[in-house]
Amino acid sequence: MSKIVVGNFKMNMTLQDVAQYVQYINNINFNPNQNEIILCPSYIYIPYLNNNIKFKVGAQDVSANHMGSYTGEISAMQLKSENVKYSILGHSERRMNFRETENIINKKIRQCVDNNIKPIVCIGESKEERLMMKTEQILRRSILDLFRGFTKEQLSDIIVAYEPIWAIGSGITPTPKEIEETAYYIKDLVRSAYKVDIRVLYGGSINLSDMHKFIGLNNIDGYLIGGASIDVEEFSKIVELIS
Ligand code: PEP
């Protein structure tokens, strides 16, 4: 089954690094009809990547506003004009560092949907919430708030990335069984609430040496990879492994 692999470069790499990355990764064995690889660099490198790489390119965020006096922000309409077709939204680092709420992320989804950009929406519980057995409650609340106001057709384009906050960058992951069960929970909830089938990715401390645990998981349509996507050799091997 075809997989989606999203690389989140976060605020890493200079133009020179990105150029070297492209040179390396463009030479790997990859069938573009089989899997979807989406690389999300800092905004300023999107045009360079789009012009030079054989993979898809996405943004790491988008403004909740359409246009106007929002210094430093980038709108969905501007991303669309650069031929961007995907954007990560609601990453836990943005929720934590920039106080993004479900309400703000809902507006960002709206901007993306209106501009034909597929949102890759991150949701996940904190360590404390997990210890209190509140994972499903948190995910349910997030989904119902984030998906508010969209048609069935629009919802079917949303990709959800299940990223437990405690797993991001920590080297610790849920067990494969826990990931499968949580992905099932998310899909089932969306199916019964909205009559829509959505794709669910897993993200959090994925690396090459543990990749075998994540390949072939039921209900998982792909992966969101942070740290390991910055290392071009490691990321290339992951892409080759799933191909
Ligand atoms: C992320 O930033 O979305 C992520 C999954 O990071 P990492 O792979 O480094 O845990």
Side-chain angles (χ1 to χ4, degrees):
M1 250 240 293
S2 142
K3 298 278 183 212
I4 303 170
V5 183
V6 182
N8 177 12
F9 290 179
K10 312 194 185 193
M11 197 175 71
N12 292 295
M13 299 208 244
T14 62
L15 182 59
Q16 286 71 22
D17 298 330
V18 174
Q20 282 176 5
Y21 195 100
V22 169
Q23 229 181 9
Y24 186 98
I25 207 162
N26 271 350
N27 288 316
I28 69 170
N29 226 342
F30 166 73
N31 175 356
N33 300 320
Q34 201 176 0
N35 296 304
E36 242 175 304
I37 314 296
I38 306 160
L39 292 175
C40 304
S42 297
Y43 287 128
I44 48 171
Y45 304 133
I46 286 177
Y48 179 85
L49 269 192
N50 245 343
N51 289 331
N52 292 288
I53 207 160
K54 64 179 183 183
F55 302 114
K56 294 180 177 165
V57 178
Q60 296 175 14
D61 185 35
V62 78
S63 174
N65 298 292
H66 177 57
M67 66 185 293
S69 305
Y70 300 99
T71 304
E73 291 267 88
I74 305 276
S75 74
M77 192 168 61
Q78 291 171 323
L79 290 174
K80 183 184 178 185
S81 74
E82 286 291 341
N83 214 13
V84 172
K85 301 277 194 303
Y86 299 87
S87 181
I88 297 171
L89 297 178
H91 192 281
S92 63
E93 287 156 14
R94 294 212 56 88
R95 291 169 183 263
M96 264 183 303
N97 299 327
F98 303 98
R99 301 210 183 97
E100 284 193 9
T101 59
E102 309 313 83
N103 189 31
I104 293 171
I105 301 161
N106 173 271
K107 292 191 175 131
K108 293 185 174 201
I109 298 176
R110 165 61 58 204
Q111 290 302 319
C112 283
V113 164
D114 287 352
N115 286 283
N116 288 326
I117 295 172
K118 287 195 173 81
I120 302 164
V121 184
C122 304
I123 55 173
E125 80 287 359
S126 66
K127 191 173 172 192
E128 294 70 32
E129 288 160 349
R130 185 175 188 87
L131 290 173
M132 289 191 290
M133 318 277 270
K134 285 188 171 170
T135 299
E136 290 189 354
Q137 190 183 323
I138 295 297
L139 298 178
R140 182 183 171 81
R141 190 66 273 149
S142 282
I143 286 178
L144 297 180
D145 287 347
L146 293 169
F147 281 26
R148 198 173 0 99
F150 296 101
T151 64
K152 259 171 80 165
E153 202 188 11
Q154 291 168 334
L155 289 177
S156 67
D157 262 349
I158 297 179
I159 300 164
V160 167
Y162 169 54
E163 298 212 306
I165 299 167
W166 51 273
I168 296 176
S170 66
I172 308 165
T173 66
T175 64
K177 185 163 176 278
E178 285 167 337
I179 295 172
E180 281 185 326
E181 285 170 358
T182 309
Y184 177 81
Y185 175 78
I186 294 168
K187 287 187 172 185
D188 193 49
L189 170 65
V190 174
R191 205 175 291 125
S192 40
Y194 305 100
K195 313 283 172 280
V196 169
D197 286 320
I198 54 151
R199 289 173 294 175
V200 175
L201 316 182
Y202 167 73
S205 292
I206 291 182
N207 57 40
L208 178 62
S209 56
D210 285 344
M211 199 58 208
H212 61 278
K213 290 192 211 159
F214 306 111
I215 286 182
L217 290 185
N218 285 326
N219 302 312
I220 290 296
D221 301 287
Y223 317 96
L224 202 169
I225 304 178
S229 73
I230 296 160
D231 179 331
V232 69
E233 290 186 30
E234 180 165 11
F235 190 69
S236 300
K237 286 189 181 129
I238 292 175
V239 171
E240 285 175 333
L241 208 62
I242 59 148
S243 295

